[in-house]
Amino acid sequence: MNASDKAASLIHPVSDRSQKLSPSPTLSLNSQAKAMRASGVDVVNLSAGEPDFPTHASVVDAAKAALDAGETRYGKPGGGPDLLKAIVTKFKRDNAVDFAPEQITVGAGAKQILLHAFLTLLNPGDEAIVLSPYWVSYADQIAFSGGTARFVSTLDANAGATSAQHLAAKLEAALSSKSKCLVFSSPSNPSGEVLSEASLKVIADFAKKNNLWVVSDEIYEYLVFEGEHRSILNVAPKLATQTLLINGLSKAFAMTGWRVGYAAGPKEVIARMRMLQSHSSTCLPAFVEKAAVVALSGGKAMIANDLDKYRSRRSVAIEQAKLLESSVGVGHCYPAGAFYVFLDLRPVLQQSKSCKSSMEFGNRLLEKHHVGAVPGEAFGAPGFLRTSYATSIENIQKGFAGIKACAQEVMQS
Ligand SMILES: Cc1ncc(COP(=O)(O)O)c(C=O)c1O
């Protein structure tokens, strides 16, 4: 019996809501690349949105000590007092923003926190304005919550960042009487763009004027390589009553598997998100909370060595991207933050007869050149390809060599 036969035999179809979901393309590509590697193929994987560093030893030790002390029971939905205090202190120290513990909730990664945020903020039929290219899960999570995403591109025609003035016009064009919230990540996954202060001001004024919730995903805040990270609430403190700041430990602290994410915002919204948490995954494991406190207290200083490595890798990735530009005409978005270089394959695809989409390019790249990278379709940006430089310099060089060879091949066919 194949999958569709099974579906036909269900006593009822699955809910309309769940039929709106599609598998996460970033996770499936990553597993495809891993499966090829497991079968002996020497795959260079630039598809993972995951640091390759180990979690800091002091964080691991804190979890081990907590396990030895028997901290294996349920914790508090929304976070225990020590963890909430550590998050309050982090916001004060890093972002100069004051929150009370009741304004914070924690969950199993920023991904779960974002889902809970959309389920809490959106009614069926509401629209969410999402800056694009966007992180894959926003679209599915908004749809699952009953909302409709309206995408606003932050790129200009040549993959450069849209000016603040142009962004204001694009936001106005996406507004409707159903608009309820505005969602973005800065630094951005996938483009690496860090929104300028002027663009953040435009977003803040637009949200204020139109009574929109703002969901500001700042999970890459420590990975800003030019200038300093600016939270939307630094730029516009007046937005505090209508903003959820989203953050987590996965990216900065190389703690993807620990599943720690958090949100800060108005306490009435946070109280609802905590209730939802109590009915979904309940709480973080107590020993994970102990480890998270150590990471949050260590802050950016704790990951100084990792940041140095990212800086070197980023230089190599930019150098390689420039080489791609001069040799095969592939452009890129300027990667000021996060750990991605978002390549613009459109000039190559336009010249090719056999390869017309970044999806086809990504498949060919993996199958023939053994390089994993994520096609832009996943992020609402067909024609682009996301490469991650959270890997060794050798892999970055090999991966870009594969992309160049693939581009040359498709331009001739
Ligand atoms: C922009 C962005 N937000 C949120 C997440 C979710 O992170 P996690 O659930 O691991 O905390 C990711 C992970 O890729 C991301 O790139």
Side-chain angles (χ1 to χ4, degrees):
M1 193 187 246
N2 65 32
S4 57
D5 291 333
K6 269 192 209 155
S9 71
L10 290 177
I11 58 157
H12 296 293
V14 297
S15 70
D16 295 347
R17 182 188 313 114
S18 70
Q19 289 186 45
K20 289 185 181 150
L21 292 173
S22 43
S24 163
T26 45
L27 292 184
S28 51
L29 242 136
N30 198 16
S31 356
Q32 209 180 323
K34 279 184 182 161
M36 278 173 74
R37 194 177 288 153
S39 71
V41 183
D42 181 19
V43 175
V44 176
N45 192 2
L46 303 185
S47 72
E50 177 165 48
D52 60 334
F53 303 126
T55 305
H56 199 278
S58 61
V59 176
V60 176
D61 288 345
K64 285 183 188 161
L67 281 170
D68 287 341
E71 304 234 18
T72 54
R73 308 279 177 203
Y74 287 131
K76 245 184 123 186
D82 291 348
L83 180 54
L84 296 181
K85 196 167 149 219
I87 297 172
V88 167
T89 309
K90 173 253 166 307
F91 276 121
K92 179 104 191 135
R93 178 194 65 208
D94 295 344
N95 312 104
V97 184
D98 285 313
F99 287 110
E102 316 81 79
Q103 290 185 275
I104 288 159
T105 188
V106 303
K111 194 178 259 186
Q112 186 187 46
I113 285 288
L114 280 158
L115 175 62
H116 289 180
F118 295 131
L119 285 167
T120 304
L121 296 179
L122 297 175
N123 277 322
D126 285 344
E127 290 183 1
I129 298 177
V130 181
L131 298 197
S132 162
Y134 54 85
W135 177 55
V136 273
S137 294
Y138 298 151
D140 282 70
Q141 293 188 345
I142 289 166
F144 188 74
S145 307
T148 303
R150 296 271 168 250
F151 301 108
V152 168
S153 171
T154 60
L155 300 181
D156 69 16
N158 297 319
T162 293
S163 68
Q165 199 187 5
H166 203 178
L167 179 62
K170 289 181 176 181
L171 288 171
E172 288 295 342
L175 186 72
S176 84
S177 57
K178 295 180 188 157
S179 306
K180 189 81 166 286
C181 75
L182 199 159
V183 186
F184 64 96
S185 68
S186 177
S188 157
N189 175 8
S191 73
E193 181 183 358
V194 174
L195 288 172
S196 67
E197 180 135 357
S199 290
L200 289 172
K201 277 204 174 105
V202 161
I203 290 171
D205 291 344
F206 174 78
K208 195 80 202 164
K209 187 174 97 192
N210 298 299
N211 284 328
L212 300 178
W213 289 109
V214 174
V215 177
S216 175
D217 182 346
E218 305 187 6
I219 197 162
Y220 292 95
E221 73 162 317
Y222 285 178
L223 303 172
V224 171
F225 301 105
E226 283 175 29
E228 287 292 314
H229 170 74
R230 300 280 282 150
S231 168
I232 185 92
L233 288 188
N234 294 136
V235 174
K238 63 183 178 188
L239 274 192
T241 52
Q242 62 192 84
T243 297
L244 283 179
L245 295 187
I246 309 293
N247 214 321
L249 305 189
S250 288
K251 311 294 173 172
F253 294 98
M255 289 177 68
T256 44
W258 297 72
R259 311 308 302 131
V260 185
Y262 52 96
K267 68 177 191 311
E268 297 77 3
V269 176
I270 294 294
R272 292 285 154 183
M273 288 174 66
R274 284 182 177 183
M275 265 179 237
L276 179 51
Q277 191 73 48
S278 77
H279 293 296
S280 59
S281 64
T282 310
C283 59
L284 290 188
F287 59 93
V288 170
E289 285 215 3
K290 288 278 189 251
V293 170
V294 173
L296 285 157
S297 313
K300 206 170 177 177
M302 179 181 262
I303 59 152
N305 286 341
D306 294 355
L307 289 176
D308 281 346
K309 289 199 182 121
Y310 280 131
R311 274 189 207 98
S312 316
R313 292 165 169 193
R314 173 175 174 266
S315 304
V316 172
I318 291 179
E319 194 182 282
Q320 292 289 321
K322 285 185 179 159
L323 279 175
L324 273 185
E325 182 136 35
S326 57
S327 57
V328 284
V330 166
H332 62 275
C333 302
Y334 188 70
F339 40 59
Y340 306 106
V341 180
F342 204 41
L343 299 174
D344 183 0
L345 299 175
R346 290 172 300 180
V348 167
L349 300 175
Q350 273 153 18
Q351 284 184 51
S352 173
K353 290 196 186 72
S354 68
C355 180
K356 283 298 182 197
S357 71
S358 38
M359 189 63 88
E360 285 172 59
F361 188 96
N363 287 335
R364 195 188 283 222
L365 183 67
L366 184 59
E367 279 156 22
K368 286 191 71 182
H369 300 272
H370 303 157
V371 177
V374 190
E377 283 86 344
F379 313 100
F384 285 75
L385 187 76
R386 191 192 74 176
T387 60
S388 160
Y389 59 84
T391 185
S392 68
I393 287 181
E394 194 195 344
N395 275 348
I396 298 168
Q397 285 165 334
K398 274 197 195 161
F400 273 80
I403 295 169
K404 181 176 162 190
C406 191
Q408 281 168 332
E409 188 185 289
V410 304
M411 282 194 293
Q412 282 156 16
S413 60

